[in-house]
Amino acid sequence: MKVLFVCHGNICRSPMAEFILKALVKAKGHEGQYYIESAAVSTEETGNPIYPPAKRCLNQHGIPFDNGKRARQVTRADYDRFDRIICMDASNLRWIRRIIPDDPQGKIHLMMSYTGVGRDVADPWYTGDFEQAFQDILEGCEAMLQAVAVSS
């Protein structure tokens, strides 16, 4: 399963999701079954590292991350490369439709839709609450893994 997480700039929520999911699948011994990346809908942060408060939050939870991770923008080619493209909020979903206008295979999802709640992942860029974003992402990743296991 190839998963791409998407947020606005690829420096907070989507890299947090990338490394949270990597940690979850590693803990289950399933890392060989997954390829996980993250990207942005915008170009604003392209080339920038993970935002320091996001790194601190991952560290506080013992989630390893790649310090070399740099923000990149989603491309149309990503649709063919990934099985699931998971957006952090409704705004990301609207933006991604400009880059990937069609989703005939139903690959593009909202993160929290896996939890049965149609809300956005809290955006710490505006709230400063990285812990809330972490908890939302963790809940979404766990629910997605459950959904994948059920559908397999």
Side-chain angles (χ1 to χ4, degrees), residues 55-75:
K55 288 182 186 180
R56 277 194 297 277
C57 186
L58 291 171
N59 276 329
Q60 287 167 351
H61 288 278
I63 304 291
F65 57 87
D66 177 1
N67 243 336
K69 166 73 183 165
R70 294 291 179 263
R72 74 167 183 91
Q73 187 180 31
V74 173
T75 66

Side-chain angles (χ1 to χ4, degrees), residues 19-69:
F19 295 110
I20 289 168
L21 186 61
K22 284 178 177 177
L24 289 173
V25 298
K26 183 175 183 179
K28 294 179 183 301
H30 296 169
E31 62 260 72
Q33 298 168 32
Y34 286 84
Y35 177 79
I36 305 158
E37 276 190 31
S38 62
V41 290
S42 80
T43 58
E44 294 170 32
E45 300 289 347
T46 299
N48 288 336
I50 302 171
Y51 194 49
K55 288 182 186 180
R56 277 194 297 277
C57 186
L58 291 171
N59 276 329
Q60 287 167 351
H61 288 278
I63 304 291
F65 57 87
D66 177 1
N67 243 336
K69 166 73 183 165

